């Protein structure tokens, strides 16, 4: 599955967003192909925000399924299951 | 100039620029390899690096309203309230990365103030400054070079206006006009990031009267132009930068911006780089706009720097065994409260921002002035609390060389011990960071950078709607 990765700007994040994404990418392995928001052919967007404000959430493209994270409480494996709709 | 994208591009561009820069009476040929300049260059380079990082590109880049292209946000003209808020968020983010001043906001504010004001000058006078400035702005956005915001003149006798100074050069002014352009003489003082910027955008330092027309000047000058000489200012403990390491406190990013006195000794400026000359009635408006845009910033960057200081104090007290004391917890909470108060001011003046006739957005001036005024107080109070919880060791600690000395290193390690298991070296590192962030130059920047407190107070009289406040009070008191 092709997933677009997008971070909020990170003005005052409550956790290390980059490290959290790396853990998610490790948990996903080859099941997810990561792309940029501008890239074609994505089925979902993983938006990693640093806090509850989730500044950029409203700017996400309407056609794509959005998974928006505001903290690092979910285990990476669970995030992958949500992205792959295996909840 | 080649487009600057990465830190490497930025360093290369500074090497090629060859500005004339003096430090301690000596010309410095290559600032990119000189330890007095490297930390400030690293801090400014963050503005380039973060624009390339997915985790920060949303704040560090923007879409140009002129070309539709993605640009570095430090070259953007604010197009919405959201842009104003993102500016403040970006400053907090970079302050978290550097714990210091990253310098590039001053030129950014100069650009925005010039954009708005040239539009209005042209409307009144039929001049073509705005169109000229747009051409210049397109170059800045395409090449992504770093601009100094050059407002403050040396000012000589503060009780006299520019045209009455004994030496007219104490305010930057035009000494010659010809069909190619103008020649200027004077200087700009305290220029943040001057040594490691590419160009300066000159602005008048204060409101001007018609007789000061030669001083009412907005123009862009490359910092390697003939006749431009920079003299790098001294800072508290600056010789520690030369040896580097722990004693420097924040060895990678330094302290404050690294300011220069920039002298213009008969510098030629072609007309296409002149964006105001002689329209003295607009000098006050331009200064006010630049000041408001710059005062907007301070809760972002100083809020962010304060976050680092709170973290440093929390670590120091954990290392020293005082972290659980209720007064220490209370003081860290107070520091957090003060830092977030600063940040809220910056967000508030941005949220209440409005559109100028040029289309560019502008923060609420009253709230921006309150924000900077709070900085002149809260940063001192935050530093006072940091000094309190860190202890007197901040003022008396042995050096890194003593720590590593075969003769006395053992004593330093033994007597710099804190809580069991904490490395004395780490304790010394965090204490040096606190010392760096709370001493001399760092505090003076919060007092005078973006204007001394009195310049904020005078705005309350003008913008504070006192007549309305009197009316509201009289109504409630039943006064007819
Ligand atoms: C670290 C740092 C970085 C800076 N960066 C920049 C920069 O990048 N670009 C830039 O353009 N400027 C920059 N500044 C300059 C800053 O804006 C000025 O320091 C500030 O405006 C105060 O001016 P001054 O330093 O000349 O102080 P002064 O004007 O000498 O003020 C000292 C005191 O005298 C009072 N005073 C002065 N004149 C009068 C008067 N006529 N009547 C009554 N009281 C008066 C002031 O209110 C203040 O209390 C920077 C300053 C610092 C400290």
């Amino acid at each position: 599955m092709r997933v677009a990765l997008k971070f909020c700007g990170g003005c005052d994040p409550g956790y290390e967003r980059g490290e959290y994404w790396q853990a998610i990418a490790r948990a996903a392995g080859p099941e997810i192909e990561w792309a940029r928001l501008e890239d074609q052919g994505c089925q979902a967007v993983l938006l990693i925000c640093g806090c509850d404000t989730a500044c950029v959430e409203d700017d996400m493209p309407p056609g794509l399924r959005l998974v928006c994270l505001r903290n690092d409480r979910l285990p990476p494996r669970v995030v992958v299951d949500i992205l792959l709709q295996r909840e | 100039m080649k487009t600057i994208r990465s830190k490497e591009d930025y360093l290369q561009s500074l090497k090629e620029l060859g500005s004339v820069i003096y430090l301690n009476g000596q010309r410095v040929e290559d600032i990119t390899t000189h330890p007095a300049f490297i930390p400030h260059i690293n801090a400014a380079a963050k503005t380039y690096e973060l624009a390339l990082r997915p985790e920060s590109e949303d704040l560090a880049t923007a879409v140009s309203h002129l070309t539709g292209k993605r640009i570095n946000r430090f070259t953007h003209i604010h197009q919405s309230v959201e842009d104003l808020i993102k500016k403040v968020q970006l400053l907090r983010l970079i302050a978290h990365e550097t714990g210091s001043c990253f310098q590039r906001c001053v030129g950014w504010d100069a650009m925005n103030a010039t954009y708005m004001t040239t539009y209005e000058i042209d409307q009144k006078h039929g001049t073509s400054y705005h169109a000229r400035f747009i051409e210049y702005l397109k170059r800045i956005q395409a090449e992504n070079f770093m601009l100094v915001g050059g407002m403050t003149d040396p000012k000589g006798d503060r009780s006299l206006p520019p045209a009455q100074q004994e030496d007219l050069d104490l305010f930057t002014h035009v000494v010659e006009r010809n069909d190619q352009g103008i020649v200027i003489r004077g200087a700009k003082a305290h220029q943040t990031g001057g040594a490691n910027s590419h160009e300066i955008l000159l602005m008048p330092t204060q409101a001007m009267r018609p007789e000061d027309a030669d001083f009412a000047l907005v123009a862009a000058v490359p910092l390697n132009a003939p006749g431009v000489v920079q003299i790098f200012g001294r800072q508290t403990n600056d010789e520690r930068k030369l040896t580097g390491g722990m004693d420097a406190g924040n060895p990678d990013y330094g302290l404050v911006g690294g300011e220069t006195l920039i002298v213009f000794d008969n510098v030629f400026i072609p007309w296409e780089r002149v964006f105001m000359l002689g329209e003295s009635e607009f000098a006050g408006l331009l200064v006010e706009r630049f000041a408001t845009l710059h005062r907007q910033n301070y809760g972002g960057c100083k809020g962010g720097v304060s976050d680092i200081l709170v973290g440093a104090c929390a670590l120091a007290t954990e290392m020293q065994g005082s972290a659980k004391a209720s007064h220490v917890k209370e003081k860290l909470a107070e520091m957090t409260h003060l830092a977030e108060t600063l940040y809220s001011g910056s967000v508030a003046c941005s949220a209440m921002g409005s559109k100028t006739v040029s289309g560019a957005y502008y923060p609420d001036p009253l709230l921006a002035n309150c924000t900077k005024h709070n900085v002149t107080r809260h940063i001192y109070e935050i530093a006072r609390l940091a000094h309190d919880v860190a202890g007197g060791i901040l003022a008396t600690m042995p050096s890194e060389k003593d720590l590593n000395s075969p003769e006395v290193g053992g004593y330093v390690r033994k007597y710099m011990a804190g809580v069991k298991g904490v490395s004395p070296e780490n304790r010394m590192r965090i204490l040096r960071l606190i010392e760096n962030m709370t001493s001399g130059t760092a505090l003076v920047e919060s007092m005078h950078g973006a204007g001394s407190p009195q310049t904020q107070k005078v705005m309350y009289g003008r913008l504070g709607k006192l007549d309305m406040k009197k009316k509201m009070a009289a109504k409630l008191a039943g006064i007819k």
Side-chain angles (χ1 to χ4, degrees):
Chain A
M1 181 183 187
R2 197 166 156 88
V3 175
L5 172 68
K6 174 78 184 157
F7 292 93
C8 75
C11 65
D12 191 24
Y15 62 102
E16 294 284 356
R17 294 165 307 139
E19 283 175 17
Y20 189 41
W21 172 69
Q22 278 165 10
I24 293 165
R26 273 195 304 276
E31 286 186 280
I32 292 180
E33 182 198 343
W34 298 100
R36 290 178 64 87
L37 205 51
E38 324 56 277
D39 296 340
Q40 301 296 311
C42 294
Q43 285 115 303
V45 181
L46 176 64
L47 173 60
I48 305 187
C49 297
C51 73
D52 286 346
T53 310
C55 286
V56 286
E57 192 178 13
D58 291 345
D59 303 337
M60 291 300 104
L64 290 178
R65 197 163 60 82
L66 175 65
V67 177
C68 177
L69 305 175
R70 295 172 163 80
N71 53 55
D72 59 356
R73 270 179 242 138
L74 283 179
R77 187 71 247 164
V78 174
V79 177
V80 173
D81 287 345
I82 295 170
L83 282 167
L84 298 175
Q85 295 184 290
R86 289 196 302 223
E87 303 120 276
Chain B
M1 196 189 290
K2 194 173 146 264
T3 300
I4 304 169
R5 287 186 212 288
S6 61
K7 179 176 182 179
E8 292 67 36
D9 296 342
Y10 173 54
L11 293 179
Q12 186 57 33
S13 71
L14 293 179
K15 278 184 197 293
E16 287 166 11
L17 193 65
S19 302
V20 177
I21 297 161
Y22 281 81
L23 165 74
N24 282 329
Q26 304 279 320
R27 170 104 190 248
V28 180
E29 295 295 340
D30 182 2
I31 60 163
T32 66
T33 53
H34 193 296
F37 298 87
I38 289 172
H40 307 294
I41 294 172
N42 286 342
K46 275 284 169 209
T47 67
Y48 293 100
E49 291 176 288
L50 292 180
L52 299 177
R53 242 196 240 169
E55 294 98 309
S56 45
E57 65 179 2
D58 190 70
L59 292 179
T61 66
V63 174
S64 166
H65 72 295
L66 297 174
T67 62
K69 291 193 176 140
R70 190 154 281 281
I71 53 170
N72 190 298
R73 187 174 289 278
F74 280 94
T75 68
H76 184 51
I77 300 296
H78 317 300
Q79 296 299 304
S80 61
V81 160
E82 191 190 349
D83 271 349
L84 292 173
I85 294 176
K86 283 192 171 182
K87 177 194 192 199
V88 172
Q89 291 178 301
L90 172 62
L91 301 181
R92 189 172 189 176
L93 160 67
I94 311 181
H96 286 172
E97 296 270 336
T98 61
S100 183
C101 168
F102 32 91
Q103 311 140 40
R104 222 172 147 192
C105 66
V106 203
W108 188 12
D109 296 330
M111 258 178 249
N112 274 272
T114 302
Y115 184 91
M116 293 166 193
T117 311
T118 50
Y119 188 91
E120 286 164 54
I121 302 175
D122 289 358
Q123 274 192 327
K124 180 168 175 202
H125 290 282
T127 40
S128 51
Y129 294 130
H130 191 67
R132 258 187 215 171
F133 185 69
I134 284 183
E135 287 313 304
Y136 180 60
L137 184 62
K138 281 186 190 159
R139 244 198 71 216
I140 301 177
Q141 293 187 341
E143 296 173 15
N144 196 14
F145 58 82
M146 179 166 159
L147 200 62
V148 177
M151 177 159 282
T152 310
D153 285 307
K155 299 194 294 264
D157 181 343
R158 270 95 173 123
S159 69
L160 296 176
Q164 285 175 28
Q165 295 287 327
E166 173 84 28
D167 178 355
L168 294 183
D169 299 347
L170 288 163
F171 284 78
T172 306
H173 63 121
V174 178
V175 291
E176 191 189 317
R177 293 167 162 85
N178 57 44
D179 55 350
Q180 305 293 306
I182 57 173
V183 177
I184 64 158
R185 203 158 59 226
K188 292 287 175 184
H190 327 289
Q191 297 301 291
T192 294
N196 48 297
S197 291
H198 306 91
E199 302 212 356
I200 181 167
L201 186 54
L202 298 169
M203 299 166 284
T205 203
Q206 60 189 44
M208 299 277 170
R209 302 161 318 154
E211 52 270 43
D212 300 321
D214 284 349
F215 303 82
L217 169 71
V218 180
V221 184
L223 287 164
N224 60 358
V228 179
V229 176
Q230 299 196 56
I231 306 162
F232 196 63
R234 296 220 64 167
Q235 298 182 325
T236 313
N237 297 332
D238 56 2
E239 279 173 355
R240 295 191 197 172
K241 280 192 287 192
L242 307 180
T243 46
M246 165 201 304
D247 289 350
N250 184 354
D252 290 340
Y253 300 106
L255 161 66
V256 189
E259 279 67 27
T260 58
L261 173 69
I262 308 186
V263 178
F264 303 93
D265 192 356
N266 294 309
V267 174
F268 171 73
I269 310 176
W271 284 115
E272 66 265 22
R273 285 172 162 271
V274 176
F275 310 120
M276 168 172 140
L277 178 57
E279 292 80 7
S280 51
E281 78 275 25
F282 281 95
L285 180 66
L286 182 88
V287 171
E288 189 176 317
R289 287 207 168 131
F290 170 77
T292 292
L293 285 154
H294 204 39
R295 290 170 193 169
Q296 172 203 12
N297 301 346
Y298 267 66
C301 64
K302 296 291 169 279
V305 164
S306 300
D307 292 334
I308 305 286
L309 195 52
V310 173
C313 289
L315 285 172
T317 56
E318 279 167 21
M319 291 175 178
Q320 298 174 169
S322 55
K324 294 203 173 93
S326 62
H327 80 96
V328 169
K329 283 196 253 177
E330 193 271 323
K331 281 166 186 158
L332 289 178
E334 176 69 7
M335 289 168 78
T336 304
H337 161 75
L338 291 167
E340 296 296 342
T341 302
L342 297 179
Y343 185 60
S344 352
S346 286
V347 172
C349 69
S350 308
M352 298 302 287
S354 58
K355 197 175 181 173
T356 62
V357 285
S358 70
Y361 272 70
Y362 181 60
D364 179 278
L366 179 60
L367 296 180
N369 275 278
C370 291
T371 303
K372 169 67 219 316
H373 200 186
N374 278 338
V375 167
T376 69
R377 293 179 172 145
H378 292 0
I379 292 296
Y380 281 71
E381 180 60 11
I382 290 170
R384 190 181 78 82
L385 293 165
H387 290 176
D388 178 347
V389 298
I393 191 68
L394 277 188
T396 64
M397 192 160 65
S399 68
E400 184 174 16
K401 279 198 174 135
D402 290 317
L403 175 74
N404 295 326
S405 148
E407 288 87 30
V408 296
Y411 295 138
V412 174
R413 250 171 258 281
K414 177 175 166 70
Y415 293 109
M416 281 304 299
V419 167
K420 189 171 170 216
V422 167
S423 122
E425 180 183 330
N426 285 346
R427 181 179 170 222
M428 290 172 76
R429 282 183 182 281
I430 209 74
L431 289 168
R432 282 285 179 228
L433 178 63
I434 297 171
E435 181 197 22
N436 164 285
M437 295 179 77
T438 55
S439 310
T441 308
L443 295 180
V444 178
E445 190 213 355
S446 294
M447 180 62 72
H448 289 290
S452 317
Q454 190 58 22
T455 58
Q456 287 111 58
K457 266 202 174 158
V458 293
M459 299 303 284
Y460 305 153
R462 276 195 37 219
L463 302 170
K465 305 182 200 84
L466 195 56
D467 282 344
M468 280 306 290
K469 286 173 182 155
K470 285 195 286 189
K471 271 190 197 152
M472 292 186 287
K475 189 175 159 197
L476 287 178
I479 297 173
K480 296 264 172 343

